Amino acid sequence: MGRRIADVSAPARLAGPGEGLGQDELALAARNHALPLEAMRHDVTPPGLHYVLTHYDIPYVPDAAAWRLTVGGHVRRPLGLSPARLRAYPAVTTRVTLECAGNGRALLTPRPVSQPWLVGAVGTADWTGVPLRVLLDEAGVRAGAVDVVFTGADHGVERGVEQDYQRSLPLSTATGDDPEVLVAYAMNGAPLPPQHGSPLRLVVPGWYGMAQVKWLRAVTVLDGPFTGFQQSVAYRIRKAPGDTGEPVTRIAPRALLIPPGFPDFMSRTRVVAPGTVALEGRAWSGSAPVTAVEVSTDAGATWRPAELEPDHGHRWAWRRWSGVWSAVPGHHVLSARAHDAAGHTQPSEQPWNLGGFANNLVQRVPVFCSGTA
Amino acid sequence: MGRRIADVSAPARLAGPGEGLGQDELALAARNHALPLEAMRHDVTPPGLHYVLTHYDIPYVPDAAAWRLTVGGHVRRPLGLSPARLRAYPAVTTRVTLECAGNGRALLTPRPVSQPWLVGAVGTADWTGVPLRVLLDEAGVRAGAVDVVFTGADHGVERGVEQDYQRSLPLSTATGDDPEVLVAYAMNGAPLPPQHGSPLRLVVPGWYGMAQVKWLRAVTVLDGPFTGFQQSVAYRIRKAPGDTGEPVTRIAPRALLIPPGFPDFMSRTRVVAPGTVALEGRAWSGSAPVTAVEVSTDAGATWRPAELEPDHGHRWAWRRWSGVWSAVPGHHVLSARAHDAAGHTQPSEQPWNLGGFANNLVQRVPVFCSGTA
């Protein structure tokens, strides 16, 4: 019988051919909330419908006023900031679409055994807080600074490594103004809910969720690169276990359909009546603005342009798109795909990697059109 | 290729021996939120952490003011009520623990293939609204009334039957004052969130979740028994497919532990240090008040009493309990069980039925205590 903490962790693995999900994956799926796709009708996601991924436990913070955010390390004037003190700075509100880097993982073959997202690990909120560079300016970053590390209050074990959740950004990103990184204290105009990082969290527009450190308690400037678990071991694009891999950073483009019609309870197959069916959804990209969305109603064999709404001044939020479909009786598969200004689009073959990250394969929505032809 | 709506539904089935979860079960697990067990530290569950089960889609209601609740059928004066008009009645607020009838289903062997809950399909909220009997009094229930049917705006197909979600209560329950059934418009002092039935829902204290009809648009008094799908086909305790079965009604007693220590990301195994470990959790029963909670730290071999807090005037809400454990290095399984005033307790053998309902088998929390003995 093991006596070391490391023994509670199993090694990373891939599911075997045809292997269903295990209770470990189910435990994660039950804890970590996906966005029900019909909730994409809301420009701003109601907080209880926004996706949530928590590596360990949601910290219990009965007295938010006692919380302190430290800004320290390679700085001249370390800071200790209460939530009230942060609210005294000029507030910035940014509408941001956040997406988990593992979104789409459970659709991969073979399936990396981890949080089993289908496509709903996304959400959009108005985040209010203080630009991180304002705090770093006040602390006075010293010459030679390289990375800025963000430490959350969530604590656990992962592949044998006991840790507080920690991620870093390069100094240039942490102090940049496009995107402007926020230390946020409000979501959609209300204090952060517990599962979204109450009382303080990081928001890095355009980056996948692993960068958006919740329950933020320390900002630490380093004079060298950060090599913590979540930076050097997890969240890297690797084809084989020995690879160094590329870091996961910005969100790849994706368009999702709001499944039309109504569902079957168990299969979630959609049912529509013959005739004109309004299609709508959302599209986003963290690397560059979305420039076009296409839809397919024949499982990706042919594509046609959708109407793409302007961003209404919200560069970092998803954009609404729409189209129409003349449905005829039978079984159909609907899809959408996004293109961005950097020339990226969504693949029709799965972009597989060991961790199951950044899988932006086009969505498939099975629809049954009832009636007779 | 099928042309009938019924063809999108597969028959009910049981998972085979060792069969992992399928993508249909995963799609439900991803949509329907469980309570992360650490959130039991809150007396009242923050809305985004309360469990959610939606049979079909969450209706999109951009203009709640246009909503109308009809009260009709076997009554003398049918009503049509806006949310604003309901707010003009004297308000009642009740703290209620809601639990899905399918909570615990995914732990059954064999596993009924449906929404795969572990044990987190529970939550507690302060619900504010108008007692249903006030509305039924105003409408004037006619002699010979038997059942009262509640119709939600959520629409879908289930086992081949296209339907609006509908459930009924016997007239005596619908007009009773213990428990007092509410037509609720607020949760924890704020308007209902979309996933909890915005703008109006039913709250039936002590009953499982299938009775708590969300997006409530019609209350219909019948002069005979209601035989709709969710009453006569679903939500019945059956041992074999041909059985009539018993209806699922009140919540069976259950105690849950807040898993102590901190988790491993993937296995969710808990880690604690040797020495005194505070144990706490919640206990509830819909049939009668909870009278005692016991804890076990040896996988149910021995039990000892926990401290049970008073209900603080909230008969229909969970009660906090606590205890201490002297942890020694090694692997342990922690459990708790509740007893209620009607003499019910939790079984140590699974209470199996075809639908996987009301499974209140005692929880098992694997814990690893690190260090040397």
Side-chain angles (χ1 to χ4, degrees), chain A residues 1-2 8-9 21 23 30-31 33-34 38 48 55-58 106 157 262-265 267-268 270 331 368, chain B residues 1-3 8-9 21 23 30-31 33-34 38 48 55-58 106 157 263-265 267-268 270 331 368:
Chain A
M1 189 175 282
V8 302
S9 298
L21 284 97
Q23 291 233 340
R31 286 181 56 78
H33 300 172
E38 67 270 27
H55 277 245
Y56 313 121
D57 280 3
I58 299 170
V157 194
F262 56 82
D264 176 63
F265 171 72
S267 69
R268 308 314 290 180
R270 311 297 300 193
H331 291 274
F368 172 68
Chain B
M1 189 175 283
R3 285 285 183 275
V8 303
S9 297
L21 284 98
Q23 292 233 340
R31 286 181 56 77
H33 300 171
E38 67 270 28
H55 278 246
Y56 313 121
D57 279 3
I58 299 169
V157 194
D264 176 64
F265 171 72
S267 70
R268 308 314 289 181
R270 310 297 301 192
H331 291 273
F368 172 69

Side-chain angles (χ1 to χ4, degrees), chain A residues 264-329:
Chain A
D264 176 63
F265 171 72
M266 192 65 224
S267 69
R268 308 314 290 180
T269 298
R270 311 297 300 193
V271 178
V272 300
T276 299
V277 175
L279 301 181
E280 67 169 299
R282 301 282 174 170
W284 62 91
S285 170
S287 49
V290 172
T291 50
V293 172
E294 298 170 290
V295 294
S296 170
T297 55
D298 55 8
T302 63
W303 295 87
R304 57 181 192 277
E307 285 287 322
L308 178 64
E309 279 194 5
D311 72 7
H312 302 295
H314 300 295
R315 154 68 188 102
W316 301 105
W318 58 25
R319 287 164 67 181
R320 185 175 177 275
W321 60 263
S322 60
V324 291
W325 171 41
S326 294
V328 295

Side-chain angles (χ1 to χ4, degrees), chain B residues 260 272-279 296-298 304 323-328 330-334 367-369:
Chain B
V272 300
T276 300
V277 175
L279 301 181
S296 171
T297 55
D298 55 8
R304 58 180 191 278
V324 292
W325 171 42
S326 294
V328 295
H331 291 273
H332 307 275
V333 173
L334 275 47
V367 178
F368 172 69
C369 178

Side-chain angles (χ1 to χ4, degrees), chain A:
Chain A
M1 189 175 282
R3 284 286 182 276
R4 298 181 323 119
I5 286 178
D7 296 339
V8 302
S9 298
R13 73 177 190 94
L14 302 175
E19 180 184 332
L21 284 97
Q23 291 233 340
D24 50 353
E25 290 167 288
L26 175 58
L28 287 167
R31 286 181 56 78
N32 292 314
H33 300 172
L35 177 85
L37 297 185
E38 67 270 27
M40 287 192 291
R41 292 199 174 89
H42 302 268
D43 288 337
V44 173
T45 310
L49 294 175
H50 193 291
Y51 101 90
V52 173
L53 178 86
T54 306
H55 277 245
Y56 313 121
D57 280 3
I58 299 170
Y60 181 59
V61 185
D63 180 14
W67 193 268
R68 289 296 175 277
L69 172 65
T70 62
V71 180
H74 202 62
V75 300
R76 287 188 298 274
R77 295 174 296 275
L79 310 177
L81 300 160
S82 67
R85 174 121 182 256
L86 280 163
R87 281 168 200 272
Y89 288 82
V92 170
T93 297
T94 310
R95 184 166 298 179
V96 180
T97 295
L98 297 183
E99 182 177 11
C100 184
N103 202 14
R105 177 184 291 125
L107 297 167
L108 292 169
T109 305
R111 183 181 78 249
V113 173
S114 183
Q115 164 65 39
W117 293 121
L118 295 167
V119 296
V122 65
T124 297
D126 287 330
W127 301 100
T128 300
V130 182
L132 176 64
R133 67 191 150 77
V134 170
L135 303 179
L136 289 173
D137 278 355
E138 185 173 327
V141 174
R142 293 165 61 189
V146 175
D147 278 350
V148 182
V149 181
F150 306 93
T151 303
D154 43 334
H155 184 88
V157 194
E158 204 160 339
R159 294 199 229 158
V161 181
E162 185 179 346
Q163 58 192 285
D164 291 337
Y165 188 84
Q166 289 190 308
R167 281 280 307 184
S168 71
L169 292 171
L171 181 68
S172 59
T173 304
T175 56
D177 58 7
D178 187 35
E180 182 176 65
V181 178
L182 293 182
V183 174
Y185 47 73
M187 178 186 192
N188 300 351
L192 298 181
Q195 71 274 26
H196 288 292
S198 175
L200 299 175
R201 73 172 299 169
L202 204 67
V203 174
V204 188
W207 285 56
Y208 279 116
M210 75 282 149
Q212 324 285 335
V213 177
K214 293 181 283 192
W215 312 292
L216 184 67
R217 61 174 187 76
V219 174
T220 311
V221 179
L222 300 190
D223 61 359
F226 176 63
T227 58
F229 178 88
Q230 303 293 348
Q231 207 82 19
S232 307
V233 179
Y235 294 112
R236 298 187 79 89
I237 307 276
R238 292 187 178 89
K239 298 293 183 188
D243 297 352
T244 304
E246 290 298 314
V248 178
T249 57
R250 297 239 187 170
I251 297 174
R254 190 194 296 269
L256 289 178
L257 273 154
I258 297 173
F262 56 82
D264 176 63
F265 171 72
M266 192 65 224
S267 69
R268 308 314 290 180
T269 298
R270 311 297 300 193
V271 178
V272 300
T276 299
V277 175
L279 301 181
E280 67 169 299
R282 301 282 174 170
W284 62 91
S285 170
S287 49
V290 172
T291 50
V293 172
E294 298 170 290
V295 294
S296 170
T297 55
D298 55 8
T302 63
W303 295 87
R304 57 181 192 277
E307 285 287 322
L308 178 64
E309 279 194 5
D311 72 7
H312 302 295
H314 300 295
R315 154 68 188 102
W316 301 105
W318 58 25
R319 287 164 67 181
R320 185 175 177 275
W321 60 263
S322 60
V324 291
W325 171 41
S326 294
V328 295
H331 291 274
H332 307 274
V333 174
L334 275 46
S335 296
R337 69 182 175 197
H339 300 262
D340 74 18
H344 301 121
T345 186
Q346 297 181 242
S348 51
E349 299 288 332
Q350 64 170 8
W352 192 90
N353 57 77
L354 266 181
F357 297 121
N359 171 19
N360 65 338
L361 181 69
V362 293
Q363 177 195 19
R364 291 171 57 89
V365 180
V367 178
F368 172 68
C369 179
S370 57
T372 49

Side-chain angles (χ1 to χ4, degrees), chain B residues 95-183:
Chain B
R95 185 167 297 178
V96 180
T97 294
L98 297 183
E99 182 177 10
C100 184
N103 202 15
R105 178 184 290 125
L107 297 166
L108 292 169
T109 305
R111 183 181 78 248
V113 172
S114 183
Q115 164 67 39
W117 293 121
L118 295 168
V119 295
V122 66
T124 297
D126 287 331
W127 300 101
T128 300
V130 183
L132 177 63
R133 67 190 151 77
V134 170
L135 303 179
L136 289 173
D137 279 355
E138 186 172 327
V141 174
R142 293 166 59 191
V146 175
D147 277 350
V148 183
V149 181
F150 306 93
T151 304
D154 42 335
H155 185 89
V157 194
E158 205 160 340
R159 293 200 230 159
V161 181
E162 185 178 346
Q163 59 191 285
D164 290 338
Y165 187 84
Q166 289 190 308
R167 280 280 306 184
S168 71
L169 292 172
L171 181 67
S172 59
T173 305
T175 56
D177 58 6
D178 186 34
E180 182 175 65
V181 178
L182 294 183
V183 174

